Amino acid sequence: MKIDLTDTTASKVNKALVKGRRDIGTPAVGMVLTLVIVTDEENAYDALKAANDASHEHPSRTLVVIKRVSRSPRDRTTSRLDAEVRVGADAGTGETVILRLYGEVVNHAQSVVLPLLLPDAPVVVWWPVNAPLDPANDPLGALAQRRVTDTYAAEQPVRELSARSDTYAPGDTDLSWTRITPWRSMLAAALDQVVCEVEAVEVEGEEFNPSCELLAMWLADRLDVPVKRSLSSGPGLTAVRMDTNCGPIVLDRADGSLATLSIQGQPDRAVALKRRDTAELIAEELRRLDPDDTYASALRFGVERLNAANGNGKAVAEAPVRKPAAEAGEADTGGEADAVAKGAAAATPAESAAKAPAKEAAAKAPVKKAAAK
């Protein structure tokens, strides 16, 4: 059942939910949490479909908040709330309310969402795209026990990870971290099968893939060994190689679905490591509502620290804003000037005094040459 409400209020939406439940013959509320999805019109359908699929495991009231952009100054000063209420078969195993906000109410979405939250039930807020840099201090994020973002959808995912590290609060999580759960489980199980010490690790995957960076940071944080981050054509994570004093342990997934686990002295084994869809990732995140301390520890290890260990911190950090090849000459010239400036700044007073006559001679040389002409 679908009920459309135009220019409505949160109170009328609540009444429509009660009426819809009675009309389909299920007046009792049997949901375990409230899932708030903050998205745009373009991504609303995919996010809602994933939430409906996840609701078969976690019956919930799903509130989809869509902030509509006003095109004229007059529209920006006019507040309006349109809602679409779905119950029964149209809403999975729970209830769905799609809220479209216009005008001034866009900046006060929490006042619309708050009356619609299930009483005495956990709240989870999910940003499929355009997540705030500080989810815990966002007006909607402040209502939730868990805040789910996805750095893979960011324009510069690796830089987004650094921002997440600076603003982390208990309850924050990321779907890029959820994607590597099977990898972490398999690598931990592989180390349980041997009595060896890990000496070095290499993580191979796509460039600027936050899941690869998070897995590398997790391994570096937990094992306290050097972790090398290498690049491949993907898809996603492709391999992890751990060098131990008993021989290498390799988990290789070249096709994105089936991996091969190789341990020194044991036969190779095929392992199912398919790339999971968003519905599976959301369902996994809804299974736990307590802070993820392991994610926090890996995130705080830091992308910069990982890149510094590989000796390429500056290259990785500047890659998204690298100049085109046509401007390479200009960029190189600037680099040489910086190097010269740094060298001059680093010179000692004795070296500066020794070089002073040479500098004066070099400065006067063009003048003498001009005079000779």
Side-chain angles (χ1 to χ4, degrees):
M1 173 182 285
K2 295 182 181 180
I3 304 173
D4 290 326
L5 302 171
T6 304
D7 197 6
T8 186
T9 63
S11 176
K12 293 179 181 178
V13 173
N14 259 324
K15 291 178 181 178
L17 285 169
V18 175
K19 181 180 182 299
R21 287 198 303 268
R22 288 177 177 172
D23 289 346
I24 64 175
T26 57
V29 179
M31 290 159 286
V32 298
L33 58 88
T34 303
L35 175 62
V36 182
I37 304 174
V38 187
T39 184
D40 53 20
E41 201 72 62
E42 179 183 358
N43 297 278
Y45 175 81
D46 292 335
L48 184 56
K49 184 178 184 303
N52 285 342
D53 292 342
S55 71
H56 293 286
E57 185 176 342
H58 309 278
S60 59
R61 173 177 289 181
T62 303
L63 306 177
V64 184
V65 179
I66 302 175
K67 300 179 180 181
R68 299 296 297 268
V69 178
S70 301
R71 298 184 178 180
S72 66
R74 179 181 298 177
D75 291 339
R76 295 190 191 102
T77 59
T78 304
S79 297
R80 192 175 94 234
L81 169 65
D82 293 343
E84 180 182 333
V85 178
R86 301 180 183 180
V87 293
D90 293 318
T93 60
E95 299 172 343
T96 299
V97 181
I98 302 176
L99 304 167
R100 290 182 171 88
L101 282 60
Y102 301 82
E104 289 291 335
V105 75
V106 168
N107 300 321
H108 305 281
Q110 72 279 6
S111 63
V112 177
V113 170
L114 186 59
L116 301 176
L117 301 178
L118 288 173
D120 301 324
V123 179
V124 178
V125 178
W126 171 33
W127 291 269
V129 293
N130 301 325
L133 291 178
D134 191 354
N137 287 326
D138 181 82
L140 284 172
L143 301 175
Q145 285 78 33
R146 288 281 277 181
R147 296 164 294 274
V148 184
T149 59
D150 190 357
T151 52
Y152 191 79
E155 186 175 352
Q156 296 178 342
V158 179
R159 290 187 177 183
E160 193 86 359
L161 280 180
S162 298
R164 293 279 176 267
S165 176
D166 295 336
T167 61
Y168 173 82
D172 291 355
T173 189
D174 196 302
L175 292 186
S176 296
W177 172 256
T178 316
R179 290 184 180 96
I180 62 174
T181 299
W183 284 82
R184 293 188 291 117
S185 301
M186 191 56 58
L187 292 171
L191 290 176
D192 286 341
Q193 300 177 32
V194 297
V195 184
C196 303
E197 292 186 4
V198 180
E199 299 172 344
V201 179
E202 180 180 1
V203 176
E204 180 184 279
E206 290 177 326
E207 188 175 11
F208 306 124
N209 186 308
S211 294
C212 301
E213 308 293 337
L214 280 169
L215 183 62
M217 290 190 289
W218 173 70
L219 289 167
D221 179 56
R222 307 309 293 180
L223 298 176
D224 194 22
V225 297
V227 177
K228 179 183 178 182
R229 172 74 168 89
S230 58
L231 304 180
S232 71
S233 58
L237 269 163
T238 52
V240 175
R241 300 177 179 87
M242 295 187 289
D243 296 329
T244 72
N245 55 3
C246 303
I249 298 175
V250 181
L251 184 59
D252 191 350
R253 186 190 69 177
D255 59 357
S257 60
L258 189 65
T260 302
L261 177 62
S262 303
I263 300 177
Q264 186 75 19
Q266 299 182 18
D268 292 351
R269 280 165 284 184
V271 179
L273 272 182
K274 71 180 185 69
R275 305 189 74 191
R276 299 181 294 169
D277 58 22
T278 308
E280 293 181 75
L281 301 176
I282 286 295
E284 178 183 330
E285 283 301 330
L286 296 181
R287 291 187 198 120
R288 60 174 303 167
L289 298 175
D290 58 318
D292 192 340
D293 295 332
T294 306
Y295 166 69
S297 181
L299 188 64
R300 285 170 176 158
F301 183 86
V303 179
E304 292 81 3
R305 183 177 172 188
L306 178 69
N307 292 332
N310 286 291
N312 61 347
K314 184 177 180 181
V316 173
E318 295 181 353
V321 291
R322 188 175 297 159
K323 291 188 176 181
E327 300 177 16
E330 181 182 351
D332 290 342
T333 303
E336 291 176 3
D338 290 343
V340 172
K342 290 178 181 177
T348 63
E351 291 174 341
S352 300
K355 293 179 180 178
K359 289 182 179 179
E360 292 178 2
K364 294 178 180 179
V367 178
K368 292 180 179 179
K369 186 175 181 181
K373 287 183 179 180

